[in-house]
Amino acid sequence: MKTILALLIGLLPFYTWAQIDTLSGTSSDSLSSLVIPLDSLSPTLSPADSLSPSDTTQVDPVAEARSKRQEELKAQSDFKSKVNYTARDSSVLDAVNQILYLYGAVNVKYEDVDLTAEEVSIDFTTQTLFAKGVEDSAGNLIGAPIFKQGEQQFDAREMSYNFNTEKGVIKGARTNQGEGDVLADVAKRQPDGSIHIKGGKYTTCDLDHPHYYIESRKLKLIPGKQVISGPLNLVIEDFPIPIVIPFGFFPTNTNKRQRNGIVLPQYGEQNDRGFFLRGLGYYRAINDYMDMLVDGDIYTKGGWALRLASKYNVRYKYNGGFSAEYSIQQFGEKTEEFTDPDFQRIQGWRLTWRHSQPINPTTRFSANVNLSNSKYLERLSGNPNDVLTNTLNSSVSFSKSFAPFTLSVSLNHSQDVKNNTVNLTLPSANLQMSRQTPFKRVKGKGLEWLSQLGITYGLQATNQLSNIQDSIFFPILINPGGTTDIYNPTDSIVETFDNSSFYRRGIQHRSAATTNIKLLKYITVPLNFNFREYWYFEQEKQVYNRTEDEIETIRVPGFSTARDFNFSVNANTTLFSFYQFTKSKKGIVIRHQFIPNIGYSLNPDFSAEKYGFYGTVQTDREGNTRRYNRFQNGVYGSPSAGESQSLNFGISNVFEMKYKKRESFEEDWDETQDPYERVRLLDNLSINSGYNFAADSFQLSPFSLSARTTLFNRKLNINASGAIDPYALGFTDAEDTVGRRVNRFEWDETGRIGRLTRAQISFNTGFSSKKTKKKQRSQGFDEIEYQAVRDNLNEYVDFDVPWSARINYNLQYTKTNALAPTITQTLRLNGDFSLTPKWKITYSSGYDFTQKEVTLTRFSIIRDLHCWEMSFQVTPFGSQQSYMFAINVRSSTLKDLRLTKQSRWQDRAPF
C-alpha cells in the first residue's frame, strides 16, 4: 500500500500542474501571467519527504533515483532572470524532464527577449526554447513565431533559442534590415547578434512571396550595419537572371544615414560624344552632420565633367549645402585628318551655396549663391528649365536687431545670362530705425495729429559693379586698383580702362515724418514728408570741346553731397450702399463698398541753380547750352529736375452679396445659426489717374484700371488691368505712319475719352479630386526623405490623388502708336490623372496663339509596380526634344538596380 501511494505521488505532476505548490501561477482556465521562481523550477521528492514511517528501514529505489535526478536538473536549470509567459489555451509541465509546454497565442518574455507563437516548449534543463506555428483546417500556417530581441525581429516557420548561450536556429526566417528584408531557409544566430544564413534572399518587396530578390546560398547578416553575401544573382518573378556576381554588400544602417562607398555610374552611347560613364563617384559621410559626394562623367570623344557636392545640417544651429561643377564637352570629332562640321568644344562651370544660420533670436546669417556661365545653362546643364533662365541671383547676408534699429550687411550678385553681364554689390549695408513716436504722450483736443506723428530713418551704403562683361569680371574684382584692356569692335582698337571706373559707391540717408488727421469723423488724411540725402565720392563735370565739337565728361573725385525732399497729403474714406431685392424670397442683398481717395504731392525743381546739383554746358559752336546732372550716375540716383505739383485721385469698389441658405427655410432650422450665405461678386474694381499743375504739357496722367474677381466658389480667378491715354497721336506729314503722342486730348480729336494703350486679362483655375485615402505621419517618419520631396516637388507623384488639372490663359494687348498692336495670347495647362490606382499620367503643355505653335510640352507615364517603379518621360517636339524610359527599384538602398534608355536634348545637334 505504501509503495502504491508513493508511486501515485510520483506520477501526479504528469497529470496536472495546478496542484504543484512550488509553481507560481493559476489554473489553465485563467492563465494570464505566470512567473516561474528560480528556486522552484525542479520540485523534488527527497527521502525525508516520503510517506514511509520514520523508523522504516526499507528504501524505495525508484524514489531515490528520481530524487537524485531532480537534484541534478535543479543544479543545471538556474536562469539569470525570471521567465514570464502567457498562454491562451493550456500549459503542461513535465516536472521530471523539466519541460514546459504552452499552447495557443503564447507569449514568452525573458530579459530583452520577447517571443510570440502558437506553440512553445521550454526545456529548463538545457535552457532551450522551441517555437512553431500550426496549420489550420485549410492548411494555412497560423501563429508563426515572431522573435524579438532588442531592435532585432525575426518572423519564422519554426525556431529554437538557447537562453544561456544566446544562440538560435531559425527556419523559414524573415527579418527587416533598413529598407529591405532578409529571408532565409535556415539561419543561425550567434551570441554577438550576427546571423549566418543558408539559402538567403535579400529584397525590398514586403510581400510574403516577393516580386524580386537577390539570391545567395550563403549570407552573413550584421544587424544595423550590413549584409554580406557570397555569389549571388537577381531573381525577378521567380525567373533567375543569368548573371552571377561573385559577392555582394548591402548597407543597412539607414537610421544613421552613414553609408560610404562608390556611386555606380550610368553607361551608354551618344552619337556626338561617344561611349560614356555618367555619375561615377564616391560618397562619404564625413560625420553625423555633413556628407560629401565627388562624381563625374567621361566620354570617349574627349568630354568630361567633375562635380563636388556637400550637405550639412546641425539641428537648431545651421544647415545648408554647396556644389561645384566644371565641365568640358566635345560635340563631334576632330582629328588631324578630319574635323566634324558640327564640332564644338564648350567649357562650362557652376557654383551654388545655400546656408541658413539663426545665431540667436536677433542675429541671423544666410546665403543663397548661384553662379554660372551662360554656356553651362544653354548646353551642359541636366535641368531643362535652365535653358529658359535669363538671370541668376545670389545673396549673402548678415542681420542684427537691436531696438529700435536693424542692421543688415549683404553681398549681392545678379547675372544676365543672355547678355553675359554681371552686377555685383560688394558689400551693401542697411541700417533701419523702426517708426518712433516722440510725442505720443501729448494729449489735448486738436493735438491728436501730434501724438500720432511718427519718424523713421534709414541709412544705406554700397559698393557696386554694374553691367560688367563676365569675361572681364574677375580681373576687375580681384584687382580694383589696376587696369583692364577691352576690345572696342566699333573702332577695332583695344582700350585701357582703370578698374576703379567700373565701381559705383555711395551712401544714402532717408528719413520720413508721417501722421494722420481725422476730418468730419469719417475721413482719414495722412500727411507725409520725405527727405533724402546722397553722399558720393565723385561727381561729373561736362566740358565742351570746341575742336572736336563734342561734350567730354570728366570724373572729379572728392566727397560731395546732394539732397531732395517731397511732401504729400491724401484723403480717403469708405462709403457703403445696399441694394435689397424685396421681391426675392431668398432675401438677396448686395453691398457696394465705395473707397474714394484723393491726394496732393509736391516735388520742387532741384535742377534750379540755387541748389547747385546741376551744371550748365555749351552744346555747340553757336553757344547753345543745356543743364546736366552732376550726379546722374550716382548709385542711389540724384535729385530730379522739373517741378511737380500733382493731384492724384482714384476710386476702388468692392461688391458683395448675401442670401438666405436653402436649409434656413426648413422647419427644423436652428434659429441660433446664421441663415445667410455670403459671396464676393467683385473683389476689386479701381481706376486711378493724376494731374500735374506744374507741367507745361501732358498734365493729365493716363488712367489705369484694374479688376479682380473669383467665380464658382473661388475655383476660377480672373485678373484684368489696362491703361487709357487721354492724349491723341499726331503725325508730322502724310508719310508718317507711326505717329507720336501730342498735347491734344483724344476727346477733341475723335470724341473718345482716350486711347487704350495697354490691356491684360488672365484666367487661372485648378481642379483636383479628393484623396482616396488619408495618410498620417508614421512614427518612423523620415525627415530627410520628406525634405527631398519638398525640394523636388516637380518629380513627386502622389498616387492618392486620382486626378488634378491646372489651366492658365493670358491675353496681353499693347498699342502705343499708330502701328498694329502687339498681342500676346498664351494658354498653359498641366496636371495628372490615374488610369488605374497603379497607372499615373502627368502632362504639361501650352499654346502660343500669336506664334501659332505649341509651347514646351512634356508627358510622363508612371506605373507603380509595388516594389518597382516604371516611368516614361517624353518631350515630343521643340528645342528640348527628348525621352527617357526607366524601370527601377523604389528603395534607395538598391537605387542603382535600374534599367534606363534615354535621349537627352543636350545630346542633340546644336540648335
Side-chain angles (χ1 to χ4, degrees):
M1 185 64 181
K2 295 179 180 179
T3 303
I4 295 174
L5 185 59
L7 181 61
L8 290 175
I9 295 175
L11 293 176
L12 187 61
F14 290 93
Y15 295 98
T16 175
W17 59 270
Q19 305 299 323
I20 299 175
D21 294 336
T22 57
L23 183 62
S24 175
T26 61
S27 66
S28 60
D29 294 336
S30 60
L31 183 61
S32 60
S33 180
L34 299 181
V35 180
I36 302 177
L38 295 176
D39 57 355
S40 61
L41 291 175
S42 301
T44 61
L45 197 61
S46 63
D49 298 328
S50 67
L51 298 179
S52 59
S54 59
D55 57 351
T56 302
T57 58
Q58 183 180 2
V59 177
D60 186 350
V62 177
E64 183 179 10
R66 184 184 296 113
S67 177
K68 288 183 179 181
R69 175 59 177 164
Q70 290 174 343
E71 290 290 344
E72 293 174 358
L73 295 178
K74 181 177 181 180
Q76 297 174 4
S77 61
D78 289 337
F79 280 68
K80 299 177 182 178
S81 303
K82 291 183 179 182
V83 179
N84 301 284
Y85 63 89
T86 61
R88 183 190 62 220
D89 295 340
S90 61
S91 301
V92 176
L93 174 65
D94 181 348
V96 175
N97 295 314
Q98 291 294 286
I99 300 176
L100 178 64
Y101 299 94
L102 305 171
Y103 302 96
V106 180
N107 178 249
V108 178
K109 294 181 179 180
Y110 173 76
E111 293 185 343
D112 62 342
V113 173
D114 190 337
L115 171 72
T116 58
E118 189 66 20
E119 292 186 3
V120 174
S121 63
I122 304 175
D123 189 334
F124 293 102
T125 304
T126 59
Q127 300 187 20
T128 301
L129 174 148
F130 178 80
K132 67 176 183 178
V134 297
E135 293 185 353
D136 59 11
S137 59
N140 299 318
L141 186 66
I142 60 173
I146 300 176
F147 177 87
K148 298 179 182 179
Q149 184 172 24
E151 296 182 356
Q152 297 183 45
Q153 176 175 322
F154 300 90
D155 299 345
R157 187 174 62 254
E158 62 180 57
M159 63 166 295
S160 61
Y161 178 78
N162 188 285
F163 292 100
N164 185 30
T165 63
E166 297 186 0
K167 292 183 178 181
V169 177
I170 308 172
K171 295 182 180 180
R174 182 167 190 155
T175 179
N176 179 264
Q177 296 294 317
E179 296 183 14
D181 290 348
V182 177
L183 292 76
D185 294 339
V186 180
K188 292 184 178 180
R189 186 189 186 280
Q190 304 301 327
D192 61 356
S194 62
I195 301 171
H196 293 82
I197 296 173
K198 179 181 179 181
K201 302 172 184 177
Y202 181 80
T203 181
T204 58
C205 182
D206 58 3
L207 296 180
D208 292 337
H209 188 79
H211 290 118
Y212 83 100
Y213 51 86
I214 298 173
E215 186 176 42
S216 178
R217 293 184 59 189
K218 296 181 180 180
L219 286 173
K220 182 178 181 180
L221 169 62
I222 303 176
K225 292 185 178 180
Q226 58 205 19
V227 178
I228 305 171
S229 75
L232 52 87
N233 69 301
L234 177 65
V235 179
I236 301 178
E237 292 293 351
D238 297 327
F239 178 80
I241 305 300
I243 300 176
V244 178
I245 301 174
F247 65 91
F249 172 82
F250 306 94
T252 62
N253 58 337
T254 55
N255 291 333
K256 295 183 179 179
R257 295 285 177 178
Q258 300 214 14
R259 293 172 287 178
N260 305 327
I262 296 174
V263 179
L264 298 180
Q266 296 181 352
Y267 59 90
E269 181 185 10
Q270 294 175 356
N271 294 332
D272 53 355
R273 300 195 200 184
F275 294 97
F276 64 79
L277 290 177
R278 287 187 186 138
L280 176 63
Y282 182 79
Y283 175 83
R284 174 71 178 175
I286 299 175
N287 52 42
D288 292 341
Y289 312 105
M290 185 177 185
D291 66 359
M292 181 180 66
L293 172 65
V294 180
D295 70 334
D297 310 331
I298 186 169
Y299 299 82
T300 55
K301 291 187 178 181
W304 59 271
L306 183 63
R307 291 178 291 270
L308 171 66
S310 178
K311 293 182 180 179
Y312 51 88
N313 187 357
V314 179
R315 185 171 294 184
Y316 309 122
K317 290 187 177 181
Y318 57 84
N319 65 82
F322 65 89
S323 65
E325 179 176 355
Y326 183 78
S327 177
I328 296 179
Q329 296 299 335
Q330 205 164 275
F331 298 89
E333 289 187 278
K334 181 179 181 180
T335 63
E336 295 181 357
E337 296 82 12
F338 172 78
T339 299
D340 195 319
D342 295 327
F343 174 81
Q344 277 189 322
R345 182 179 176 87
I346 299 176
Q347 297 183 12
W349 58 269
R350 188 166 196 172
L351 176 66
T352 65
W353 178 37
R354 177 183 56 82
H355 181 85
S356 178
Q357 182 177 0
I359 300 174
N360 57 49
T362 63
T363 309
R364 186 179 187 87
F365 175 74
S366 62
N368 189 355
V369 177
N370 190 4
L371 304 174
S372 174
N373 69 341
S374 57
K375 291 296 184 182
Y376 176 88
L377 299 176
E378 293 173 0
R379 294 286 289 146
L380 305 181
S381 173
N383 185 354
N385 293 324
D386 283 343
V387 179
L388 307 176
T389 301
N390 293 322
T391 60
L392 295 176
N393 297 295
S394 304
S395 176
V396 179
S397 63
F398 171 85
S399 62
K400 171 70 176 178
S401 298
F402 45 96
F405 295 97
T406 300
L407 172 67
S408 63
V409 180
S410 63
L411 284 71
N412 300 297
H413 156 268
S414 177
Q415 181 178 350
D416 189 329
V417 177
K418 302 304 180 184
N419 296 322
N420 298 325
T421 60
V422 178
N423 296 325
L424 181 68
T425 301
L426 187 70
S428 175
N430 190 350
L431 178 66
Q432 295 290 333
M433 183 185 73
S434 60
R435 189 172 185 268
Q436 303 296 304
T437 52
F439 307 106
K440 63 181 179 181
R441 298 183 183 276
V442 175
K443 305 294 182 181
K445 188 176 181 179
L447 297 178
E448 292 84 359
W449 67 272
L450 184 60
S451 62
Q452 297 180 31
L453 179 65
I455 300 173
T456 60
Y457 170 77
L459 180 147
Q460 293 175 295
T462 190
N463 179 33
Q464 190 179 92
L465 279 170
S466 300
N467 296 322
I468 308 300
Q469 291 293 319
D470 57 7
S471 59
I472 62 173
F473 173 73
F474 282 107
I476 295 175
L477 178 64
I478 296 172
N479 186 18
T483 60
T484 299
D485 295 333
I486 301 177
Y487 176 71
N488 186 342
T490 303
D491 300 329
S492 299
I493 60 174
V494 176
E495 298 178 312
T496 301
F497 292 88
D498 291 334
N499 292 346
S500 60
S501 64
F502 296 100
Y503 286 86
R504 296 197 303 163
R505 304 178 179 90
I507 299 174
Q508 177 182 232
H509 302 267
R510 301 172 65 99
S511 61
T514 61
T515 189
N516 291 319
I517 298 176
K518 278 284 188 180
L519 295 179
L520 303 177
K521 192 177 180 180
Y522 299 107
I523 300 176
T524 302
V525 181
L527 293 94
N528 300 274
F529 177 79
N530 299 285
F531 177 84
R532 291 182 297 182
E533 178 152 345
Y534 311 91
W535 291 359
Y536 293 128
F537 302 96
E538 64 178 24
Q539 58 178 300
E540 290 185 2
K541 182 178 181 180
Q542 296 183 3
V543 178
Y544 175 69
N545 187 329
R546 182 175 294 273
T547 304
E548 301 292 337
D549 192 23
E550 63 181 12
I551 297 175
E552 297 179 350
T553 300
I554 302 174
R555 297 172 58 204
V556 181
F559 179 76
S560 55
T561 64
R563 62 202 56 84
D564 61 13
F565 54 87
N566 62 74
F567 171 79
S568 65
V569 57
N570 298 277
N572 60 75
T573 189
T574 302
L575 304 175
F576 295 92
S577 61
F578 296 88
Y579 307 92
Q580 186 170 5
F581 296 83
T582 56
K583 296 183 180 181
S584 174
K585 295 181 179 180
K586 290 188 175 182
I588 299 176
V589 179
I590 295 178
R591 186 176 76 166
H592 176 200
Q593 187 175 348
F594 181 74
I595 310 172
N597 66 84
I598 188 170
Y600 173 80
S601 61
L602 171 64
N603 290 274
D605 180 10
F606 292 101
S607 65
E609 189 173 350
K610 64 179 179 179
Y611 293 108
F613 305 145
Y614 285 70
T616 303
V617 61
Q618 183 177 337
T619 57
D620 52 34
R621 290 190 175 95
E622 284 73 23
N624 295 316
T625 62
R626 65 171 175 82
R627 304 284 289 172
Y628 70 91
N629 190 344
R630 302 180 190 272
F631 306 99
Q632 61 183 355
N633 290 321
V635 65
Y636 290 114
S638 59
S640 59
E643 182 182 2
S644 172
Q645 297 186 44
S646 297
L647 180 67
N648 305 305
F649 48 87
I651 300 172
S652 296
N653 302 269
V654 178
F655 291 89
E656 298 171 296
M657 181 180 70
K658 72 174 183 178
Y659 58 91
K660 284 188 176 182
K661 301 176 183 177
R662 180 179 301 176
E663 298 83 358
S664 65
F665 294 97
E666 298 177 359
E667 294 182 358
D668 58 348
W669 172 256
D670 186 359
E671 297 296 335
T672 61
Q673 301 295 322
D674 185 2
Y676 285 97
E677 185 78 27
R678 293 168 175 82
V679 295
R680 280 279 185 102
L681 300 178
L682 200 59
D683 293 326
N684 178 57
L685 174 62
S686 62
I687 180 171
N688 295 276
S689 185
Y691 190 89
N692 187 358
F693 295 98
D696 57 359
S697 60
F698 303 109
Q699 291 94 342
L700 185 61
S701 301
F703 294 90
S704 62
L705 303 97
S706 65
R708 183 180 73 255
T709 188
T710 58
L711 301 176
F712 310 115
N713 197 21
R714 296 193 173 272
K715 292 293 185 181
L716 177 64
N717 298 311
I718 304 176
N719 289 273
S721 63
I724 297 177
D725 191 343
Y727 292 96
L729 290 176
F731 301 89
T732 56
D733 51 45
E735 296 181 357
D736 186 1
T737 59
V738 177
R740 62 183 181 87
R741 192 172 183 237
V742 295
N743 192 32
R744 295 193 300 272
F745 287 113
E746 182 73 14
W747 179 270
D748 297 331
E749 298 289 324
T750 63
R752 297 178 300 186
I753 61 173
R755 295 179 298 108
L756 182 64
T757 58
R758 176 181 57 83
Q760 181 268 337
I761 187 170
S762 64
F763 299 86
N764 296 276
T765 186
F767 307 94
S768 66
S769 61
K770 294 182 179 180
K771 284 195 173 186
T772 56
K773 55 185 177 181
K774 294 183 178 180
K775 292 185 177 180
Q776 296 181 351
R777 182 180 291 192
S778 63
Q779 294 181 352
F781 178 74
D782 192 331
E783 192 71 39
I784 297 178
E785 183 177 349
Y786 175 69
Q787 186 62 41
V789 171
R790 290 188 60 188
D791 294 341
N792 302 275
L793 287 177
N794 293 331
E795 301 177 9
Y796 175 71
V797 178
D798 189 351
F799 279 89
D800 294 337
V801 178
W803 62 268
S804 66
R806 292 166 294 278
I807 303 173
N808 173 266
Y809 172 81
N810 188 65
L811 174 64
Q812 291 185 343
Y813 170 94
T814 305
K815 183 178 175 62
T816 57
N817 50 40
L819 298 177
T822 301
I823 299 177
T824 303
Q825 186 179 191
T826 59
L827 176 69
R828 191 73 189 166
L829 56 97
N830 57 78
D832 57 70
F833 61 92
S834 298
L835 293 176
T836 70
K838 300 295 183 180
W839 281 97
K840 173 77 77 171
I841 296 179
T842 66
Y843 56 90
S844 175
S845 184
Y847 188 78
D848 189 328
F849 294 91
T850 304
Q851 301 295 329
K852 297 182 179 180
E853 63 180 14
V854 178
T855 58
L856 181 63
T857 300
R858 294 192 183 115
F859 295 98
S860 298
I861 303 176
I862 301 99
R863 174 66 163 92
D864 183 359
L865 300 174
H866 187 251
C867 49
W868 288 69
E869 185 178 70
M870 182 188 71
S871 63
F872 179 72
Q873 302 175 19
V874 60
T875 302
F877 43 78
S879 61
Q880 299 185 38
Q881 183 177 353
S882 60
Y883 74 86
M884 185 182 74
F885 172 81
I887 181 170
N888 57 276
V889 175
R890 300 180 70 175
S891 169
S892 62
T893 302
L894 298 176
K895 64 180 180 180
D896 296 314
L897 190 58
R898 59 185 288 133
L899 175 66
T900 61
K901 178 64 176 177
Q902 64 177 334
S903 173
R904 306 196 311 171
W905 65 270
Q906 297 99 324
D907 303 329
R908 298 169 59 243
F911 52 85

